[in-house]
Amino acid sequence: MADLSNDFLGIRSPNPYWLASAPPTDKEYNVVRAFRAGWGGVVWKTLGEDPPVVNVSSRYGAVSYNGTRVAGLNNIELITDRPLELNLREIKQVKRDWPDRAMIVSLMVPCEEQSWKSILPLVEDTGADGIELNFGCPHGMSERGMGSAVGQVPEYVEMVARWCKQYTRMPVIVKLTPNITNILGPARAARRGGADAVSLINTIQSIVSIDLDLMAPTPTVDGLGTHGGYCGPAVKPIALRMVGQIARDPECQGMAISAIGGISTWRDAAEFMALGATNVQVCTAAMTHGFKIVEDMSSGLANWMDEKGYAGTRAFQGLAVPNFVEWQDLNINFKSVAAIDQDACIQCGKCYIACEDTSHQSIFALRTPEGGRRYEINEAECVGCNLCMHVCPVDNCITMQSVDTGLPYLNWQHHPNNPMRKDAAE
């Protein structure tokens, strides 16, 4: 059977599934339950200086779509509201009791050298395996000059990372904010500052809905609302893109990546690792389904690896990175057309409506001799946009078939319509 054991910066864990810094990792009770359920590691909920922060009641908002509950989760919770000494004592005890599990401690203190210099020895004394610098929180703490207020300024990211590498022996992971134009700026800054790894993405600034009776953003606190941090399955595409950008960037080459963002299944985890991540962190899936979801995630990944012949996760880590390119590198001469499996088709007409109203009018709506309906592809007009495949309610009823055009590979950089093409006459 496939070996799921994970080595992240020399930090060993029995599988690549860690719980992200969040309410599920706020205290010893939760973390022990998680380890008993089979999680490979945790990132303890973000610690700060005493006195602890004050959290509000009514903390979560959610987006449910088309019958799916919690497709996205919004929170306005801050870092731990428990005393620093209590957290440190519990971290130390859990690490002693579970030495084979990864224990990372998330930290957020003011952007001052002395603050970081003071807290790092306290964390190191717990026996923790590493620290994660929370440069991503987009609400509450950012207004105090911490969280994403630091993560959005590469110079600050580099500066604090350098302080931490100077004052601790522990591996330093920088947690990046997605609330920025270019994720490579802070990622490269973390590398320059000596950080051993990055984790991403943290939550996205959001308002998930408006209560039309109270006329306030949700979740509401005594009739008022604010923006929060958005996570869950809905953010996965954004996280995949940012992880891939860092994995293929020459300046970040070799820096370990812990992926976060909407990971709910073994397939999600495999996709992130194929795009360069060494392991993954999970939050929303655990909060909506409980800690035992890790059993399905582990068995599913192991079964898939066995089918593919991957002995360990390193065998497929990063395999998708060379195939993640810029648009200008795509083959313009490639062509695909849709094909409908008539035996599987339920004649709902969704493909026809989508194509006729909003795409390229390349599906025929026909009547059968018996008075029924039949839909066929007009291959001469089909541009291979994939829309019909995506709107079809029957899996694999519509598939995209490659067509041999007989033309060589040609991308936009060399296309004759490009006035700035590389082989244009000077």
Side-chain angles (χ1 to χ4, degrees):
M1 185 174 178
D3 180 9
L4 295 187
S5 62
N6 191 252
D7 186 331
F8 186 86
L9 305 175
I11 303 168
R12 302 284 299 178
S13 58
N15 61 57
Y17 297 111
W18 293 1
L19 282 172
S21 171
T25 63
D26 186 39
K27 59 179 71 71
E28 179 179 5
Y29 177 83
N30 300 79
V31 172
V32 169
R33 284 179 60 84
F35 285 163
R36 286 175 178 162
W39 290 87
V42 301
V43 182
W44 200 276
K45 182 166 179 169
T46 307
L47 308 185
E49 295 180 323
D50 279 332
V53 302
V54 177
N55 275 300
V56 297
S57 181
S58 185
R59 302 176 185 180
Y60 303 130
V63 172
S64 298
Y65 179 74
N66 200 28
T68 299
R69 302 288 291 174
V70 195
L73 184 69
N74 169 286
N75 86 90
I76 59 171
E77 185 163 314
L78 305 183
I79 66 175
T80 182
D81 52 13
R82 305 191 312 144
L84 176 61
E85 187 278 331
L86 175 59
N87 276 292
L88 294 171
R89 177 158 32 96
E90 291 185 357
I91 292 168
K92 190 171 189 176
Q93 186 62 53
V94 173
K95 184 58 186 177
R96 284 179 176 176
D97 294 341
W98 298 85
D100 67 324
R101 309 302 172 95
M103 173 65 74
I104 310 299
V105 176
S106 177
L107 294 175
M108 183 193 295
V109 295
C111 200
E112 300 169 357
E113 185 173 2
Q114 186 57 47
S115 293
W116 289 96
K117 184 178 180 180
S118 297
I119 200 169
L120 289 170
L122 303 178
V123 176
E124 192 167 314
D125 185 60
T126 65
D129 297 302
I131 56 172
E132 183 180 80
L133 313 186
N134 185 343
F135 294 158
C137 182
H139 55 273
M141 305 308 295
S142 55
E143 290 88 333
R144 310 179 197 191
M146 294 179 275
S148 62
V150 177
Q152 292 167 339
V153 184
E155 292 80 5
Y156 291 171
V157 172
E158 179 180 351
M159 177 178 66
V160 178
R162 184 169 285 114
W163 289 340
C164 291
K165 289 300 294 181
Q166 179 180 353
Y167 295 122
T168 184
R169 59 157 184 83
M170 296 179 290
V172 175
I173 306 166
V174 171
K175 190 171 187 179
L176 301 176
T177 176
N179 301 297
I180 194 165
T181 304
N182 187 352
I183 197 67
L184 293 179
R188 291 169 176 172
R191 183 66 177 271
R192 291 194 300 270
D196 302 286
V198 291
S199 59
L200 69 155
I201 58 173
N202 208 314
T203 54
I204 302 170
Q205 283 188 338
S206 67
I207 294 176
V208 291
S209 66
I210 299 295
D211 186 316
L212 292 178
D213 293 318
L214 296 177
M215 285 298 173
T218 63
T220 58
V221 179
D222 196 21
L224 303 176
T226 185
H227 73 272
Y230 194 54
C231 57
V235 311
K236 177 191 165 188
I238 298 168
L240 274 172
R241 192 264 297 184
M242 291 186 172
V243 166
Q245 279 189 293
I246 294 172
R248 73 179 184 183
D249 181 56
E251 294 186 39
C252 295
Q253 190 171 20
M255 186 164 59
I257 301 173
S258 184
I260 314 167
I263 298 160
S264 305
T265 68
W266 68 265
R267 182 178 292 273
D268 296 332
E271 289 178 12
F272 275 102
M273 288 188 279
L275 209 48
T278 301
N279 67 11
V280 296
Q281 296 184 34
V282 179
C283 175
T284 306
M287 294 179 71
T288 53
H289 302 294
F291 286 150
K292 287 193 175 181
I293 191 176
V294 74
E295 296 177 359
D296 290 338
M297 298 173 82
S298 294
S299 61
L301 183 61
N303 290 337
W304 173 77
M305 290 169 59
D306 284 338
E307 290 177 6
K308 295 292 185 179
Y310 297 128
T313 56
R314 291 283 184 182
F316 66 91
Q317 181 185 339
L319 291 185
V321 175
N323 298 323
F324 174 33
V325 298
E326 298 296 340
W327 189 95
Q328 64 183 11
D329 298 314
L330 299 176
N331 183 9
I332 294 175
N333 282 337
F334 172 80
K335 180 174 176 58
S336 66
V337 297
I340 300 175
D341 181 345
Q342 297 297 338
D343 292 333
C345 180
I346 60 174
Q347 293 84 45
C348 66
K350 286 183 67 68
C351 61
Y352 170 76
I353 294 169
C355 187
E356 192 72 12
D357 286 355
T358 68
S359 197
H360 294 85
Q361 299 77 51
S362 56
I363 298 179
F364 295 124
L366 307 174
R367 284 290 178 182
T368 67
E370 298 79 17
R373 292 182 292 186
R374 180 182 176 90
Y375 299 96
E376 294 183 358
I377 303 299
N378 180 355
E379 294 189 9
E381 296 295 326
C382 181
V383 301
C385 71
N386 306 341
L387 178 61
C388 59
M389 177 183 69
H390 291 305
V391 301
C392 179
V394 180
D395 290 341
N396 300 315
C397 176
I398 301 180
T399 55
M400 305 305 297
Q401 309 294 323
S402 298
V403 175
D404 184 3
T405 64
L407 299 173
Y409 169 86
L410 177 67
N411 62 39
W412 176 244
Q413 298 182 71
H414 300 281
H415 197 279
N417 289 4
N418 182 2
M420 301 177 66
R421 63 187 183 276
K422 290 188 175 180
D423 53 355
E426 296 185 7

